[in-house]
Amino acid sequence: QVVNCTTPANFYHVLRRQLHRGFRKPLIVMSPKKLLRHRGAVSDLEDFTTEHRFKRVINETDQEIVSNAKNVRRIIFCSGQVYFDLVDKREKDGLKDVAIIRLEQISPFPFDHVIAEGQRYANADIVWAQEEPKNMGAYSFASPRLVTALKPDRGHFVPKYAGRPVGAAVS
């Protein structure tokens, strides 16, 4: 399992899920330390209760955008701290036609949630955003899976990429 948690409650629940499972499977957590201090990476106390669970995908949080789903022209899928940069930019530009969806679990890929979000915003373009260079982030893993999940509704497409260009390997 590979996760990139953006909220303290989700981090807590992924660790809790790992301990309470009846089988052992490696867990890789990609969350950076920067999110420990980020003003947007907060959770309410009730999010830590046992009624809540690990969220493999965190849907759009702006209720105005969710309620006007037919007017959304772009869905941005992302993972990790880039979400907060995208939300800040969207608010700064006053955009209400862009939905930002966080993939908290990268592997195994949450096909069911991605399909549901794709159907909710049926008229929107699909974009994958990441901070890392194109060949170093989750894009090469997520892109074919986004196509597989959303192809029945959209036909053949390739998710647009928003991020740094391909970078040379570091030594």
Side-chain angles (χ1 to χ4, degrees), residues 1-72:
Q1 300 174 77
V2 180
V3 299
N4 194 350
C5 300
T6 56
T7 66
N10 226 20
F11 185 68
Y12 166 77
H13 286 295
V14 77
L15 293 176
R16 187 172 177 271
R17 179 182 78 170
Q18 183 74 4
L19 289 174
H20 288 287
R21 282 198 160 160
F23 58 91
R24 289 292 171 240
K25 188 175 189 180
L27 175 65
I28 300 167
V29 179
M30 306 294 287
S31 300
K33 292 189 299 185
K34 179 181 176 182
L35 288 181
L36 294 173
R37 298 179 300 278
H38 196 282
R39 62 178 167 74
V42 295
S43 297
D44 293 330
L45 194 55
E46 59 266 6
D47 292 341
F48 290 92
T49 62
T50 55
E51 290 91 40
H52 293 275
R53 305 178 72 113
F54 173 67
K55 296 176 184 173
R56 296 180 295 149
V57 172
I58 298 179
N59 304 329
E60 175 58 57
T61 56
D62 187 330
Q63 290 306 311
E64 184 178 344
I65 293 172
V66 172
S67 63
N68 294 319
K70 64 183 182 308
N71 297 330
V72 170

Side-chain angles (χ1 to χ4, degrees), residues 64-154:
E64 184 178 344
I65 293 172
V66 172
S67 63
N68 294 319
K70 64 183 182 308
N71 297 330
V72 170
R73 64 178 174 81
R74 179 171 295 148
I75 305 171
I76 302 176
F77 287 96
C78 64
S79 184
Q81 70 184 24
V82 71
Y83 166 78
F84 297 105
D85 299 331
L86 293 170
V87 169
D88 289 344
K89 178 68 173 160
R90 181 179 68 185
E91 288 175 1
K92 180 180 155 194
D93 293 349
L95 300 175
K96 292 295 182 183
D97 58 354
V98 176
I100 304 172
I101 300 167
R102 292 177 268 183
L103 275 92
E104 298 280 292
Q105 178 172 302
I106 305 297
S107 178
F109 195 78
F111 285 100
D112 52 342
H113 292 284
V114 171
I115 290 168
E117 290 304 302
Q119 290 171 344
R120 177 182 301 182
Y121 306 107
N123 301 324
D125 292 333
I126 307 298
V127 177
W128 176 266
Q130 66 183 31
E131 285 185 304
E132 302 84 9
K134 190 174 186 178
N135 60 329
M136 295 183 194
Y139 175 74
S140 59
F141 180 82
S143 177
R145 286 156 182 82
L146 287 170
V147 170
T148 300
L150 302 172
K151 190 175 186 176
D153 296 331
R154 298 173 191 279

